[in-house]
Amino acid sequence: MIDIRVSDPRTSPERELVIAHLAGMHDSSPPESVHALGIDALAGPGLTFWSAWDGAELAGIGALKVFEEDRGELKSMRVADAFLGRGIGRLMLRHIVADAQSRGLTSLWLETGSTPEFVPAAALYRSEGFVPCAPFADYTDDPFSLYFTRAL
């Protein structure tokens, strides 16, 4: 049974998974194309950060940033390596979508990478009703980024 709960990205082991997430983003994209938030930003106002637990083991993380009164952005979705392929990303995504709906948000948006490492993420988002879109908010066209949205 996976337990998803609001968490603090500055605590361990959440902090270590955020650091691994950032390292992975920098390994697959040039610095100017990395849009992942750092630890302090994930703990900042306007963001909710969750962690997914399998017993005492951290299985994944995800965050929601409200960037307009009725729009939100998914941030920092990451599954711990030991839990890849077990549906943790889908559980976290569905949890964030449900939370956004309960807040009265009308749409969710996200940016993800365009290189081969991000193919599973893009497939997950598409399978959960997200559709490709143009850059949104402060994003610009970037060959290393794909953008998606979903009405709620």
Side-chain angles (χ1 to χ4, degrees):
M1 177 86 173
I2 300 298
D3 175 35
I4 298 177
R5 57 186 179 237
V6 173
S7 191
D8 186 339
R10 298 169 292 194
T11 60
S12 186
E14 293 93 328
R15 177 182 181 84
E16 286 77 19
L17 191 51
V18 172
I19 290 169
H21 176 65
L22 290 168
M25 299 303 99
H26 284 280
D27 286 347
S28 58
S29 302
E32 65 275 9
S33 296
V34 174
H35 304 290
L37 297 177
I39 292 165
D40 290 334
L42 287 169
L47 273 106
T48 304
F49 180 86
W50 289 275
S51 56
W53 296 85
D54 183 4
E57 291 185 78
L58 178 63
I61 56 172
L64 173 63
K65 175 183 177 184
V66 177
F67 68 94
E68 287 184 7
E69 183 177 305
D70 62 346
R71 297 183 352 161
E73 180 183 1
L74 280 103
K75 297 298 290 182
S76 299
M77 290 271 300
R78 181 69 174 213
V79 174
D81 289 348
F83 290 89
L84 289 172
R86 294 176 46 189
I88 304 300
R90 187 173 304 278
L91 286 173
M92 180 63 78
L93 179 58
R94 288 179 176 173
H95 182 86
I96 294 172
V97 167
D99 183 84
Q101 288 172 320
S102 75
R103 294 181 194 206
L105 299 183
T106 60
S107 61
L108 283 177
W109 303 74
L110 67 93
E111 178 274 339
T112 192
S114 63
T115 58
E117 298 88 348
F118 296 96
V119 167
L124 169 64
Y125 299 133
R126 284 185 176 100
S127 75
E128 290 292 326
F130 285 82
V131 295
C133 65
F136 61 94
D138 295 331
Y139 293 103
T140 60
D141 281 324
D142 182 339
F144 287 90
S145 290
L146 299 174
Y147 306 96
F148 292 89
T149 189
R150 175 183 162 176
L152 299 179

